[in-house]
């Protein structure tokens, strides 16, 4: 081979190497671009999810190791003011106006309550009624030495009394297991025991529906109760708001010790 042929051969080799390198760079660049586009798309989906939460849920509420955002139509009911006890006199009686005044039942361990006005049908005519959300827990029982032993029975004891109060026959006392979020998303998966109560007796002129969502982490038991008139426009916002409320709900793992001091959060809090 002469020098001219050698030069041509080297040039062809260089062109082949450059072409191969260019193809490799394009391939790498294409993979990087695809990964970047996927990240951008996923970020956009996440922010759309946050927008959906803000469109349907109210501000974050925290109390007694529970974090919750209820549907934005509901307003938080204030806690009762506890007057200071005077020395030498019995402790004053505290009335909790968050407790239901439309039925003969008090929710044990009541931590939070919300209400909103809805349009219901009463005797064939439109009438204003209220819908409620209650959060109850055995949380406070762990700060009372004489209640700690009863804390594990909190949920079952509440259900037994609630079923009886609403005259729900034993053969209709059923519970379902539901997971939230329903599909994989941006929240940790949570398992709820769900009880749908449909008492036959009217309350305040209408049939009320009670949906109970029970959840437990370690020793802490929590129930969320949603009370709505059966024939009302509450379903318009509850159909989307309640699942979002449940999937964003969190238990911090905080639990008080006897004497009122909170214990450190559990490592597997969600």
């Amino acid at each position: 081979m002469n020098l001219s042929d050698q030069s041509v051969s080297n040039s062809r080799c260089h062109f082949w190497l450059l072409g191969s390198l260019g193809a490799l760079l394009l391939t790498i660049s294409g993979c990087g671009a695809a990964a970047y586009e996927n990240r951008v798309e996923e970020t956009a989906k996440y922010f759309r999810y946050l927008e959906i939460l803000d469109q349907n849920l109210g501000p974050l509420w925290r109390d007694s190791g529970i974090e919750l955002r209820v549907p934005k139509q509901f307003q938080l009911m204030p806690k009762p003011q506890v007057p200071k006890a005077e020395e030498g006199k019995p402790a004053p009686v505290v009335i909790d106006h968050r407790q239901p005044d439309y039925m003969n039942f008090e929710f044990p361990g009541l931590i939070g309550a919300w209400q909103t006005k809805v349009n219901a049908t009463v005797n064939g005519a439109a009438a204003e009624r209220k819908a409620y959300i209650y959060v109850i827990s055995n949380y406070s029982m762990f700060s009372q030495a004489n209640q700690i032993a009863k804390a594990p029975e909190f949920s079952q004891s509440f259900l037994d009394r609630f079923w009886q109060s609403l005259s729900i026959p034993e053969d209709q006392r059923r519970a379902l297991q539901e997971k939230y979020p329903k599909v994989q998303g941006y929240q940790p998966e949570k398992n709820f025991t769900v009880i749908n109560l449909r008492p036959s007796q009217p309350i305040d002129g209408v049939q009320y529906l009670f949906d109970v969502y029970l959840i437990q982490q370690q020793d802490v038991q929590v129930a969320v109760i949603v009370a709505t008139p059966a024939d009302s426009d509450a379903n318009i916002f509850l159909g989307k708001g309640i699942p979002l409320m449940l999937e964003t709900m969190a238990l911090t793992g905080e639990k008080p010790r006897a004497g009122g001091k909170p214990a450190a959060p559990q490592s597997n809090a969600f």
Side-chain angles (χ1 to χ4, degrees), residues 205-227:
V206 298
Q207 182 189 18
Y208 262 77
L209 313 178
F210 296 89
D211 297 310
V212 181
Y213 302 90
L214 300 170
I215 190 169
Q216 179 171 350
Q217 184 193 8
Q218 298 296 323
D219 299 327
V220 178
Q221 300 176 4
V222 178
V224 179
I225 303 102
V226 181

Side-chain angles (χ1 to χ4, degrees), residues 65-68 190 217 245-252 270:
I66 305 168
E67 296 181 355
L68 191 71
K190 291 172 281 290
Q217 184 193 8
M245 174 187 72
L246 296 174
E247 74 175 63
T248 56
M249 180 181 177
L251 305 184
T252 65
F270 58 81

Side-chain angles (χ1 to χ4, degrees), residues 62-67 111 137-143 217-222 250-257 260-270:
R62 292 187 181 96
D63 200 330
S64 303
I66 305 168
E67 296 181 355
I111 297 174
S137 175
N138 65 350
Y139 179 90
S140 64
M141 299 176 75
F142 294 102
S143 63
Q217 184 193 8
Q218 298 296 323
D219 299 327
V220 178
Q221 300 176 4
V222 178
L251 305 184
T252 65
E254 177 186 345
K255 185 178 72 171
R257 296 189 182 96
K261 294 182 179 180
Q266 301 286 344
S267 59
N268 61 343
F270 58 81

Side-chain angles (χ1 to χ4, degrees), residues 67-85:
E67 296 181 355
L68 191 71
R69 296 181 68 181
V70 304
K72 65 188 307 180
Q73 290 81 5
F74 285 82
Q75 298 82 44
L76 181 66
M77 301 172 70
K79 288 184 177 182
Q81 296 295 322
V82 181
K84 187 177 180 180

Side-chain angles (χ1 to χ4, degrees), residues 56 71 73-74 116-120 131 196 198 207-211 213 226-243:
N56 291 274
Q73 290 81 5
F74 285 82
T116 188
K117 294 178 180 178
V118 297
N119 296 314
N196 305 119
R198 304 295 183 256
Q207 182 189 18
Y208 262 77
L209 313 178
F210 296 89
D211 297 310
Y213 302 90
V226 181
T228 57
D231 189 6
S232 72
D233 59 0
N235 290 330
I236 296 175
F237 55 85
L238 290 182
K240 195 169 187 177
I242 295 302

